[in-house]
Amino acid sequence: MLIALGTLAGGLGLFLLSVSMITDGLKLAAGGSLRDILGRSTATVWRGIVSGAFLTSLVQSSSAVTVATIGFVNAGLLGIHQALGVVLGATIGTTMTGWLVAIVGFNFSITAFALPMVGAGMTMRLVGPSRRLGALGEAIAGFGLFFIGIDFLRGAFEGFAQNMDLASLAPEGFAGAIIFVGVGFVMTLLTQSSSAAIAITLTALTGGVISFPAAAAAAIGATVGTTSTSALAVIGATSNARRVAAGHVIINGFNAVLGIALLPGVIWLASINADMQQYPALSLALFHTSFNVLGVLLLIPFMKRVSAWLERRFVGLSEKLGRPQYLDSNVMVSPALAMDAFFLELKRMAELARDHAVAALNNEGSPDARLKAEHDGLRQLVRYVEKSVTDLEKDRLGSDVAQQLPMILRIANYIDEAVAHAQACAETDSDVEYLLQTDESERILLYRAAVLKHLAFCNPDRHDFSADEVNQAYQALRVTWRDLKTDLLDASVGGRIPVQRLNPAIDSLRMMLRVAERATRIAIRLAELGRGVPLAGKSVPDRPAGSSDQGAETAIGSD
């Protein structure tokens, strides 16, 4: 018994190692091909299914394809609907392991081709360790180990069959088979590989350790268990990653329920069909493929609804901020309404950017998750505004409206830069914190307070807002910065502050001034835009006599 257990553990270890070698080797050999194939071949659900099935059957890992798909969704290359098409295909592709084991693993002499594959593959690996040849050799060696691992598993289960009461393991009817659904789930959960669970099930079936009904039930459990990999992979991940993982659970869960519904009929058919009794491994591979393919076919018409439902779930702070409140397809049909919506959206973005900058400058230690979410959400909103401007039908706009579009893009760009600079201040806060332990701490705190005060001053909604006054306040802030920088350099020359700590701190403090500069530009440009917007301009304060927005912004400058 101990020998059989050792053989089982060794065979499983070889199998898992082989799958890892196949996956890593083919991914390295393909280079960017995996990304290119998914990018080009997911325009429709059907193309996504074909791509997902092909890639999964090739690399022998639905997890690798699913994780790659999640990455493409996060990068904006795939939508949730397209990603679910790839997941549907991966569900079919992962059934190829069963066919590979059933057809090749049990019907040919393993040593006749497996050991030569390992030898040839490792020779290629040694010849070209850092090239695609080496990666391809690793994959070939992995396929050789795949079959050797299967052979060890088969030998282990044959040993179990000679020393165990098989009748006690055979489920009685449908209720007993359900127990093995849990067995298949647990095997997949422990090995984090449905391919491993299917291989174990097939070798146990062929070795006579379990009956066909039990093996069929275990295959259903493996279908559900493979979703655990996705569930574990998205802990603390982005909202899109969680949506794809949830879609994976929905798809495989539905297929498992369908498999359970078909199980009584399959059990009855196996009891009367001589061919199924003669070729149990092939029969199991056929059943595993059949209920997964049938489930995918039944789910395809509902994928748009599932995608829309998932889009409304797992909404994080960054996505909430990244969703416009005033811009949508309805207002874009009217130039006047569109300009009003742009103005209101930019005003909201400017306020959020000021709040983010205040939080970033007051942050102590590393930036927290909220700061990162605000940063990502605001920059996503900037991209949306820019896209909305480019999507406008320019030939249908009046000249007065068309002249406002460059201004909108400029303000959006200022907001984008202000948010990026504020986040940089938070990420380099440790350099400034060091200076706060020196004799220059009071001057630094006064400078930071002046920046925060100026951010509050850069609000075009103030009833007494004046572009000239905002610019003058910024020029005074520049003077404060120059005086502080001079004092810090003098302290470094006097040996009171190490040069290696001073330079990064000066860069961080200068970044605060850049945030203030961008806030100044945003406020001046928003006030100017508001006077040219048909509806929103009514709520913008009149320009004080003698003021000039263009001149004020030109004089801003930077340090």
Side-chain angles (χ1 to χ4, degrees):
M1 181 62 72
L2 290 177
I3 294 177
L5 285 173
T7 305
L8 175 62
L12 179 59
L14 280 175
F15 182 87
L16 293 175
L17 174 62
S18 69
V19 171
S20 176
M21 291 177 65
I22 293 169
T23 302
D24 295 341
L26 288 176
K27 284 168 63 178
L28 289 173
S33 299
L34 178 63
R35 182 186 185 96
D36 294 339
I37 291 173
L38 285 179
R40 295 193 307 265
S41 307
T42 55
T44 65
V45 173
W46 282 105
R47 291 176 66 178
I49 291 173
V50 172
S51 300
F54 170 74
L55 291 173
T56 304
S57 61
L58 183 65
V59 302
Q60 287 294 297
S61 174
S62 60
S63 298
V65 175
T66 301
V67 170
T69 302
I70 289 173
F72 299 149
V73 173
N74 286 335
L77 299 176
L78 294 180
I80 298 298
H81 185 56
Q82 295 170 297
L84 292 183
V86 178
V87 174
L88 286 170
T91 303
I92 296 175
T94 197
T95 65
M96 294 302 104
T97 300
W99 290 103
L100 194 62
V101 174
I103 295 175
V104 181
F106 297 140
N107 296 298
F108 296 92
S109 172
I110 296 296
T111 55
F113 64 90
L115 289 177
M117 289 179 70
V118 174
M122 292 313 298
T123 299
M124 294 168 63
R125 184 77 175 85
L126 292 173
V127 170
S130 60
R131 301 198 301 269
R132 287 190 176 185
L133 178 64
L136 183 60
E138 182 178 341
I140 292 174
F143 272 109
L145 288 178
F146 178 95
F147 295 113
I148 293 173
I150 293 298
D151 195 44
F152 273 104
L153 287 175
R154 179 173 59 181
F157 281 113
E158 287 176 351
F160 276 120
Q162 296 173 4
N163 297 282
M164 299 181 67
D165 182 9
L166 304 183
S168 64
L169 293 177
E172 297 180 359
F174 178 74
I178 294 299
I179 297 174
F180 276 85
V181 173
V183 172
F185 176 86
V186 171
M187 284 195 299
T188 307
L189 185 65
L190 293 176
T191 61
Q192 285 297 294
S193 171
S194 61
S195 296
I198 293 298
I200 292 172
T201 301
L202 281 166
T203 50
L205 173 63
T206 305
V209 175
I210 59 175
S211 64
F212 178 81
I220 296 172
T223 298
V224 182
T226 192
T227 61
S228 64
T229 304
S230 298
L232 292 173
V234 298
I235 294 177
T238 63
S239 298
N240 279 328
R242 294 177 184 177
R243 292 186 185 111
V244 175
H248 191 197
V249 172
I250 291 171
I251 291 168
N252 284 43
F254 177 82
N255 289 356
V257 170
L258 183 62
I260 292 173
L262 296 175
L263 191 55
V266 173
I267 293 174
W268 171 79
L269 189 61
S271 66
I272 64 170
N273 191 304
D275 290 335
M276 293 183 69
Q277 295 172 9
Q278 185 177 357
Y279 304 104
L282 288 174
S283 300
L284 181 60
L286 178 61
F287 171 67
H288 187 212
T289 302
S290 298
F291 75 78
N292 276 290
V293 170
L294 181 59
V296 167
L297 293 175
L298 292 176
L299 281 171
I300 288 174
F302 301 98
M303 278 298 99
K304 286 187 177 180
R305 294 182 183 178
V306 173
S307 301
W309 182 82
L310 289 172
E311 290 280 6
R312 298 191 295 270
R313 300 297 182 273
F314 311 107
V315 179
L317 176 60
S318 62
E319 286 191 319
K320 289 180 180 179
L321 289 176
R323 291 179 178 177
Q325 289 189 3
Y326 301 100
L327 285 171
D328 60 34
S329 57
N330 296 319
V331 301
M332 298 301 284
V333 298
S334 168
L337 290 177
M339 292 303 104
D340 190 44
F342 276 121
F343 176 72
L344 293 174
E345 200 69 65
L346 288 172
K347 272 184 40 173
R348 184 177 78 93
M349 292 164 61
E351 182 178 356
L352 291 172
R354 288 197 304 272
D355 292 343
H356 174 73
V358 170
L361 267 59
N362 285 324
N363 180 72
E364 295 183 2
S366 300
D368 58 19
R370 182 176 181 85
L371 271 179
K372 184 67 168 61
E374 290 175 351
H375 168 269
D376 294 344
L378 281 167
R379 302 198 77 178
Q380 179 181 335
L381 193 52
V382 168
R383 302 286 90 78
Y384 185 91
V385 170
E386 292 173 343
K387 183 178 184 301
S388 297
V389 170
T390 57
D391 286 347
L392 280 174
E393 297 183 24
K394 308 299 187 300
D395 56 340
R396 300 181 59 184
L397 301 178
S399 59
D400 56 335
V401 173
Q403 290 175 358
Q404 303 295 328
L405 297 181
M407 178 84 74
I408 291 171
L409 289 177
R410 183 175 297 179
I411 295 172
N413 181 254
Y414 289 157
I415 292 173
D416 191 36
E417 292 176 345
V419 171
H421 292 335
Q423 190 71 12
C425 288
E427 291 172 353
T428 58
D429 190 58
S430 60
D431 301 317
V432 178
E433 292 297 329
Y434 173 80
L435 294 188
L436 291 177
Q437 310 303 318
T438 68
D439 294 338
E440 302 298 325
S441 60
E442 185 175 353
R443 295 291 302 274
I444 293 172
L445 290 174
L446 287 173
Y447 168 70
R448 181 188 289 177
V451 173
L452 292 171
K453 181 180 179 180
H454 185 73
L455 291 176
F457 194 57
C458 293
N459 183 0
D461 281 342
R462 290 188 299 109
H463 70 281
D464 59 346
F465 178 83
S466 165
D468 286 339
E469 290 179 1
V470 170
N471 181 54
Q472 291 170 8
Y474 174 70
Q475 298 305 326
L477 184 61
R478 289 178 69 187
V479 173
T480 302
W481 157 245
R482 289 172 181 169
D483 292 342
L484 174 61
K485 184 169 66 172
T486 300
D487 289 346
L488 291 175
L489 292 173
D490 289 342
S492 180
V493 171
R496 298 190 300 276
I497 300 177
V499 175
Q500 63 268 25
R501 299 304 300 265
L502 177 64
N503 290 335
I506 284 181
D507 289 340
S508 182
L509 292 169
R510 184 185 289 111
M511 198 68 68
M512 295 183 188
L513 185 68
R514 290 176 180 170
V515 173
E517 179 208 4
R518 287 297 180 260
T520 303
R521 292 180 184 273
I522 292 167
I524 292 173
R525 286 295 186 178
L526 267 178
E528 183 180 346
L529 177 65
R531 283 186 290 273
V533 171
L535 302 179
K538 298 178 181 179
S539 62
V540 177
D542 294 331
R543 185 193 334 228
S547 68
S548 171
D549 291 339
Q550 183 63 41
E553 189 188 3
T554 302
I556 288 175
S558 62
D559 286 71

